[in-house]
Amino acid sequence: MKDYRYSVFTSSIEAKITTGVLKPGDKLPSVRRIKEEYNLSTSSVQSGYDYLVFKGLVMSIPRSGYVVAAQTKKISGEPQIDLPPIPRDPIFRENVILTSNIKQHAEFASLNAATPSDFFVPQKLVLRTMQQVIREKGAALLRYYPTNGTDELRELLTRRSAGHGARVQPEELLITDGALQALYIALAITTTPNDIIAVESPCVFSVLEVIANLRLRTIEIPVRNKEGFDTDYLKNVCDKNAVKAIVLTPNFHNPTGLLLTDERKKEVLAIASHHHIPIIENDVYGDLYFRNPRPSNIRNFDTSGSVITFSSFSKTIAPGIRLGWMAAGRFLSKAERMKFSLGRSVSPLNQEVIAKLLGSATYDRHLRTFRRELERQAIQLAGQFSSYFPENTYTEIPQGGYSIWNKLSADVDMQGFYKSCETLGIHFTPGTTFSFTDAYDHCFRTIFSQRITAASIDAIKTLGCSLAP
């Protein structure tokens, strides 16, 4: 277990409180005094006090500093009630932490969570738009909205899709509670338990969880360096197995960041069409391209309605905007019924906010700024890996999206590597979370949608240098 730098003073304070040397209400040393006495940074001292506040031992008094908190007394005489233990899946919980949790302490660089940093979320724009919607719509926002979503929003999404060549009709669109719900619906209506599906590998943890919960069997299709989704491998799999669906992210794949060429997208479609297999394509990163033009979808080349495309605004605007969509094609009737069973209506407020943003120039203006920042940070991080990690380290340079994919040589002790990450206060997502196999145990994903600081840049440099033979 790692000892944080602030533990040199927090352990002393904690011991004095628990033994009664310090009493509730006693004033504790100031941040400046602790900083000078223990030779710590201001952020380390602040993190230490945050830790003590979190444990309930200390409370912060505005303009007065920190004092010992009143301790909760145990109430005697209450009857003892034995409750059954709550079973939890420790591997699932660990993977959620590895792929989603953002460290709150200033000492940590959270490069593992695929969400936009608060710094990049257009907070004023979103909140101002929400206020405007509430003023305009009033109590109407408290009612059920149409099951498939508002006509206005579906029409706006159709126009945006047409702007980059995707054939989408308003009638086939369903507004969903995020992209993951759209994926769940798409798989649930095209498969039954124990069916075989082809899925890209490596594959993001949340997609693997949906697959596992639907009790589907998978054949993992390799995502190769540079070329992306291996269509020769896919063809061979589909020739020999009764594959019921193909799931992939053609545009800025998570975790590799790879972009499929139009030729490769057409190959995937041709294989699927030959075997009458529906394609489920994830386009959540499609708007986050670094260089024009905006990449196409596989849907652009489909004329049979066999491609189900889905996306959301959690990656481009804010993770708390739980609004996604799916173009269900010929599977619309089944998708409508499944969507209704999961929840009659998606948040009216979120629908109206997104409609208002899409109906003006503000969304595209935000995207232009966001894309520039993402590209700048991607180049910055990739440069660090190239400069300071061993020469035999593979780093995939992304063309958009959120992810940089790294592979270390087979002789690297990965347990020691992640311990070094912990010591340096930097967090990547281990490659083991991206497959049902152990094929990626020497890989890790870096997310560049969080704000990159000088401290995190220095930590990557130190980490890379520590791997030198």
Side-chain angles (χ1 to χ4, degrees):
M1 180 66 70
K2 175 184 180 294
D3 288 331
Y4 297 108
R5 289 191 285 274
Y6 55 66
S7 64
V8 296
F9 82 90
T10 56
S11 57
S12 174
I13 292 175
E14 189 171 352
K16 290 177 181 178
I17 292 173
T18 55
T19 57
V21 175
L22 289 173
K23 308 291 185 185
D26 285 354
K27 187 172 177 60
L28 297 172
S30 67
V31 171
R32 178 181 296 179
R33 180 176 162 187
I34 294 289
K35 175 182 175 183
E36 293 172 353
E37 182 176 349
Y38 291 93
N39 193 28
L40 294 170
S41 66
T42 301
S43 63
S44 289
V45 179
Q46 189 65 60
S47 293
Y49 270 129
D50 288 346
Y51 163 78
L52 292 172
V53 170
F54 175 77
K55 292 196 71 174
L57 299 173
V58 168
M59 61 187 298
S60 174
I61 307 296
R63 295 184 294 278
S64 297
Y66 294 92
V67 299
V68 178
Q71 302 303 300
T72 303
K73 295 181 179 179
K74 293 182 178 179
I75 301 174
S76 60
E78 289 287 337
Q80 182 67 34
I81 300 175
D82 292 325
L83 296 175
I86 304 299
R88 293 186 182 275
D89 183 337
I91 296 176
F92 169 77
R93 289 174 63 80
E94 177 67 12
N95 283 338
V96 169
I97 291 170
L98 290 172
T99 57
S100 304
N101 280 21
I102 297 175
K103 295 287 185 180
Q104 297 303 321
H105 291 308
E107 296 181 359
F108 288 93
S110 297
L111 304 178
N112 60 320
T115 61
S117 163
D118 289 348
F119 182 76
F120 296 131
V121 170
Q123 298 179 27
K124 291 183 179 179
L125 171 63
V126 173
L127 295 176
R128 185 172 64 246
T129 305
M130 281 184 173
Q131 292 168 349
Q132 185 178 353
V133 165
I134 291 170
R135 286 195 303 270
E136 293 175 357
K137 300 295 182 178
L141 296 170
L142 305 178
R143 305 177 191 134
Y144 279 132
Y145 261 39
T147 302
N148 291 5
T150 67
D151 291 343
E152 179 188 11
L153 179 55
R154 289 186 291 122
E155 181 61 40
L156 287 166
L157 290 169
T158 299
R159 290 181 199 168
R160 287 194 68 83
S161 297
H164 57 85
R167 298 183 178 93
V168 174
Q169 303 177 66
E171 295 77 14
E172 66 171 302
L173 284 174
L174 290 177
I175 305 303
T176 62
D177 187 14
L180 210 56
Q181 186 185 77
L183 171 63
Y184 184 96
I185 293 170
L187 279 172
I189 62 177
T190 55
T191 65
T192 57
N194 288 318
D195 277 350
I196 296 172
I197 66 169
V199 62
E200 60 202 354
S201 181
C203 181
V204 66
F205 165 70
S206 56
V207 173
L208 296 179
E209 277 301 301
V210 172
I211 292 168
N213 278 291
L214 287 171
R215 293 179 291 171
L216 300 172
R217 293 181 292 161
T218 62
I219 296 179
E220 298 188 17
I221 309 300
V223 175
R224 306 292 188 188
N225 301 346
K226 306 301 181 185
E227 293 84 8
F229 200 67
D230 189 331
T231 50
D232 289 335
Y233 197 103
L234 174 68
K235 182 179 184 301
N236 185 52
V237 164
C238 292
D239 286 342
K240 297 178 179 179
N241 299 274
V243 174
K244 297 299 183 181
I246 300 169
V247 181
L248 77 164
T249 308
N251 295 330
F252 316 121
H253 168 250
N254 183 1
T256 67
L258 286 166
L259 170 66
L260 287 192
T261 63
D262 283 356
E263 289 71 24
R264 189 59 62 92
K265 291 171 183 173
K266 290 175 183 176
E267 288 175 15
V268 174
L269 180 60
I271 294 167
S273 298
H274 177 75
H275 292 278
H276 306 289
I277 303 170
I279 295 174
I280 302 170
E281 69 167 334
N282 178 359
D283 194 43
V284 294
Y285 298 107
D287 280 342
L288 299 179
Y289 51 93
F290 296 160
R291 291 288 179 264
N292 285 327
R294 200 268 194 204
S296 62
N297 295 126
I298 299 176
R299 165 59 75 108
N300 292 42
F301 314 111
D302 177 43
T303 56
S304 66
S306 296
V307 177
I308 301 174
T309 303
F310 69 91
S311 187
S312 80
F313 295 91
S314 296
K315 307 299 185 185
T316 57
I317 297 181
I321 300 292
R322 301 304 308 156
L323 190 139
W325 58 267
M326 64 182 295
R330 64 184 177 86
F331 302 97
L332 177 64
S333 296
K334 290 183 178 180
E336 284 182 308
R337 295 178 64 183
M338 178 60 68
K339 168 64 184 65
F340 187 87
S341 71
L342 296 174
R344 177 168 178 170
S345 176
V346 174
S347 163
L349 177 59
N350 286 347
Q351 290 193 61
E352 295 291 354
V353 166
I354 294 299
K356 192 166 285 291
L357 292 175
L358 295 183
S360 68
T362 54
Y363 178 62
D364 284 310
R365 192 157 53 237
H366 155 68
L367 282 179
R368 286 193 292 272
T369 301
F370 189 26
R371 286 195 293 261
R372 283 197 298 269
E373 288 299 317
L374 287 174
E375 182 179 23
R376 180 184 64 80
Q377 297 203 147
I379 291 171
Q380 190 176 23
L381 286 175
Q384 290 297 105
F385 292 126
S386 175
S387 299
Y388 299 110
F389 273 55
E391 288 187 2
N392 55 4
T393 300
Y394 173 79
T395 299
E396 182 64 54
I397 309 300
Q399 300 176 57
Y402 276 8
S403 306
I404 294 176
W405 186 241
N406 292 287
K407 183 176 183 179
L408 301 174
S409 63
D411 59 352
V412 173
D413 173 14
M414 294 308 292
Q415 186 175 1
F417 173 77
Y418 291 119
K419 283 184 178 179
S420 297
C421 291
E422 187 77 15
T423 300
L424 292 167
I426 190 165
H427 290 268
F428 305 114
T429 309
T432 51
T433 68
F434 296 100
S435 174
F436 290 123
T437 74
D438 60 358
Y440 307 106
D441 59 351
H442 275 71
C443 300
F444 65 91
R445 181 191 70 178
T446 305
I447 293 296
F448 50 83
S449 60
Q450 299 297 314
R451 194 176 186 187
I452 308 302
T453 64
S456 56
I457 289 295
D458 288 342
I460 292 174
K461 177 180 177 180
T462 302
L463 181 64
C465 291
S466 73
L467 296 172

